[in-house]
Amino acid sequence: MITTKLRKAHKWLMTFIGIQFLVWSITGLYMVSMDIHFIHGEPLKQQPLNTLELDKVTYSLSDLLSEYPQAQNIQLGRLLDKQVYRIDESQSGKLILDASTGEPLGNIDENMAKRIAKHRYTGTHDIQSIQLLSKPEQVPSELSARHLPVWQVTFSNPFADTFYINQYSGELVTTRHHFWRLFDWMWRFHIMDYDDGENVANWLLLMIALLGSLAATLGLLLTYQRVFKTSQGAS
Amino acid sequence: MPQWNKSLHKWLSLLVGIQLLIWLVTGLYFNLMDHRKASGNSNLQSINHQGIIAPERLIPVTQLAVQNAKHIGLLWLFGKPYYQVTIERGAHSYQAHNIKLFDASTGAPFTLNESLARTIALKSYNGPVNIISADLLAPPMDELPKQKNPLWQVKLQDELHTHVYIEPTSGAVVAHINDERRVRDLMFKLHFMDYLGTGGFNHWLTITFALLTLALTITGLAWLSERYRAGQLSFTHQHKTQNVTVHVSNTQHTHVLALDKHSTLFDSLAQQGIMLPSNCGGGGTCGMCRIQTNQPVKVTQADQTRLSQSKLEQGFRLACQHNACDIQHITVRTLKRTNKNAS
C-alpha cells in the first residue's frame, strides 16, 4: 500500500530532521515578528537635530584643500557642539578638523566618546563600561573589523545596549542590544552556520534542506490522500 | 497522545503545506545561488568620479542658497565638484530623504539630468551596450519596492534586460536589476511571503504562517514521541518474531504467522500479504484497519476515538495501534485483493 510506505518514509525522515523543522519555525517566527528597525537599534539612536550654522564655517573648503590637497571624502558636519570637517587624508589617515579654525582635533578620547554616546542615546541609562578596541583580535563577533578602531560603550540597561563610536571620526558606526544579538543567533540556527552565520552556502544546510523537501513532499501527499481521497468510506 | 493532535497536524499541513515547500525550495536556492550574479552585479563596475580643482575656485558654503542643512559633503561627478547638502535623511538610503546638490564652483543648484544619468548607466556597465530608454521614476517602483525616493531608471539593451537605477541626489548606482537579480528577488518575495509587495518580512501574513508552522512541527514531534513510546521508533532493528494465529473471516482461512514483535500488526500483516483496509496508511486516524481478539488488550486513544464502546467490549482494536507482542490470536477482515494462500 502506497500510503503506508509514504507514512513510514515521512515518519523516519522526520525522526532524523524534525528537530531542524522546529528550529526553522522558532527562528523564522522570531525574525519575522520582531521589527527589523527595532532589531537594528534605530530607536536607540537620537537622530542629530541641530542644523549647521554655515556663517560660523570660517575655515572654508578652499582653505582645507590648500592645506590638504590629497583630502578625499570631505564631509562637513557636527561633533557635539562643534562644527567639523571629516576627511580621509593619504598621509595622516582620517582626520577631524575644526570648521572655524582648521585645527586638527585629534582622536576621540574616552571622555569625548562618553559624551558622544550620551548625546546620541535615546535611553536614560548610565554608561556601565567603556573600552577602546583597536586590534583585530579584540573585535567581538558582533562587530565588523572594518569599523576599527572603535570605542565600545555599554549602557547599564537589561538589554546591554551598546554603541560603537569610531575613534577617528567620532561617528556612531553601529549599535547592538540583546534582541539583535539573539536575532544573530536565530539567523545562525536558521541557516545552520553556527560560527559566524556568514555562510548560507554550507553543506549541512544543503543536505538537511534536500531531505526536508522530500519529507515535506511526502507529508503533503499524505495530507492530500487523507483529505481529498477518502473515497473508501472511512467510518 | 490525544487524537486531536493528529487531526490538528493534518489540517495545519493542509494550511501551510504549500508555503512550507516554497520555504524549503527557495531556501535551497539561496544555498546554491551565485551571490555576485544574484545581486545583479554580473556587469557592474565602479566609476571613478574624482577630479582636481584649484582650491580657490570652490565657493564658500556660506553662499549656498539653503536653509537647515545638517550635513554637507563634497561630491565629485565626472571630475567636477558639487556640494551635497543633506537637510533630512533616514538611517537607510532607501528611506525618504531631502538632499540637494549645488555646483561647488558657481553655487548654482544642480540637477542630475537625463544625459548624465545615461552616461553614468553606460559607465557602470562593463562592456559596450545600447540604451533603450531613461526615465525619472517616482516611488513606488516595482523592482525596488522599499525605495521611497525618485530614481533614474535607464533600460539597457542586453541579454539580461538590465535596468540601471541611479540616485539623482548623489549619482550613485543603486542597483543593476537584470534577469539574474529578478530571479533572486522573486525567491525572496516567495520566502518572505511578500505577496503584497511591502519589500520586507515584518508583516502579518508571514507571522501568521510562521505561528501555524510552529504548531505543525510541535504536533508532528508530539506524534513522533508517541510513536517512540509505543515502541514503533526503535533504532535497533531486532527482528524478533512471535507466532500469531490469524483468522481471516471473509475467506474463512486461518494462518499461523511469524510476525515481527516490534512492528504494528497493520505493518507486519501487510508484510505477510494480508492487507487490511486503510485510508491513512497506519496513522490511527481513519479507523478502518480493525481486528478482533478475545485477549485483554489495552485501549489506545485512537481505538477509543475510532471504535464504539460496544465494539471495544467485543474486542475490536485498530491494527495500526498494537504490536504483535501484545496479541497471539486475532480475527481480521481483509481487502478483496489480498492474496494469501500459504499455510
Side-chain angles (χ1 to χ4, degrees), chain A residues 69-100:
Chain A
Q70 304 293 320
Q72 292 204 345
N73 203 6
I74 302 167
Q75 308 286 335
L76 174 63
R78 282 193 174 266
L79 180 65
L80 296 173
D81 47 355
K82 281 202 171 69
Q83 306 200 103
V84 297
Y85 291 103
R86 293 183 173 91
I87 65 171
D88 290 346
E89 224 275 336
S90 55
Q91 277 158 26
S92 335
K94 288 174 187 286
L95 289 180
I96 311 178
L97 309 171
D98 188 310
S100 42

Side-chain angles (χ1 to χ4, degrees), chain B residues 21-286:
Chain B
L21 256 190
I22 290 175
W23 278 326
L24 285 158
V25 172
T26 51
L28 277 171
Y29 166 83
F30 299 134
N31 180 267
L32 296 168
M33 74 180 180
D34 177 326
H35 266 272
R36 202 179 69 93
K37 281 188 177 175
S39 307
N41 295 348
S42 283
N43 299 304
L44 180 71
Q45 61 181 15
S46 61
I47 309 171
N48 183 10
H49 285 289
Q50 185 75 33
I52 297 168
I53 189 169
E56 64 278 9
R57 289 193 50 212
L58 289 176
I59 72 145
V61 290
T62 45
Q63 290 181 26
L64 297 178
V66 68
Q67 299 285 315
N68 303 323
K70 280 192 181 151
H71 187 264
I72 300 180
L74 187 68
L75 175 80
W76 293 88
L77 274 176
F78 297 118
K80 287 188 69 184
Y82 299 89
Y83 288 129
Q84 185 190 38
V85 181
T86 303
I87 293 153
E88 206 60 70
R89 73 168 168 207
H92 301 279
S93 62
Y94 61 78
Q95 292 169 334
H97 59 217
N98 182 1
I99 295 173
K100 291 187 160 70
L101 294 179
F102 296 88
D103 188 314
S105 51
T106 67
F110 175 78
T111 315
L112 196 127
N113 60 22
E114 178 177 335
S115 104
L116 271 172
R118 284 172 175 259
T119 313
I120 291 170
L122 290 180
K123 291 210 174 220
S124 75
Y125 192 90
N126 182 14
V129 69
N130 289 320
I131 291 174
I132 298 169
S133 65
D135 296 284
L136 185 63
L137 301 187
M141 295 161 217
D142 292 342
E143 296 189 320
L144 290 167
K146 278 194 214 170
Q147 185 60 242
K148 296 284 188 292
N149 301 293
L151 294 179
W152 279 103
Q153 180 201 53
V154 182
K155 293 186 178 174
L156 302 180
Q157 196 170 28
D158 65 344
E159 282 184 357
L160 291 174
H161 306 100
T162 304
H163 294 172
V164 183
Y165 287 89
I166 298 160
E167 197 176 48
T169 51
S170 67
V173 175
V174 174
H176 274 191
I177 299 211
N178 57 26
D179 289 346
E180 291 165 342
R181 161 85 177 233
R182 286 180 194 108
V183 172
R184 187 200 73 170
D185 288 351
L186 175 66
M187 294 295 174
F188 271 125
K189 197 183 182 77
L190 290 166
H191 201 82
F192 295 157
M193 296 188 79
D194 188 22
Y195 304 125
L196 302 171
T198 65
F201 50 77
N202 291 136
H203 52 83
W204 61 269
L205 183 64
T206 187
I207 295 171
T208 308
F209 268 68
L211 275 168
L212 293 174
T213 306
L214 180 59
L216 176 69
T217 55
I218 289 172
T219 51
L221 289 172
W223 196 341
L224 275 178
S225 88
E226 179 234 24
R227 293 289 79 193
Y228 177 75
R229 275 180 278 120
Q232 286 166 10
L233 215 60
S234 83
F235 291 99
T236 51
H237 219 56
Q238 328 146 306
H239 277 290
K240 286 190 182 159
T241 56
Q242 161 157 337
N243 285 341
V244 178
T245 310
V246 182
H247 178 69
V248 182
S249 62
N250 47 323
T251 61
Q252 291 298 323
H253 287 297
T254 299
H255 316 279
V256 177
L257 301 173
L259 300 183
D260 193 339
K261 272 187 168 181
H262 294 285
S263 295
T264 65
L265 283 167
F266 179 78
D267 288 338
S268 50
L269 285 171
Q271 275 169 19
Q272 302 279 339
I274 296 183
M275 304 303 232
L276 302 185
S278 172
N279 224 342
C280 67
T285 51
C286 70

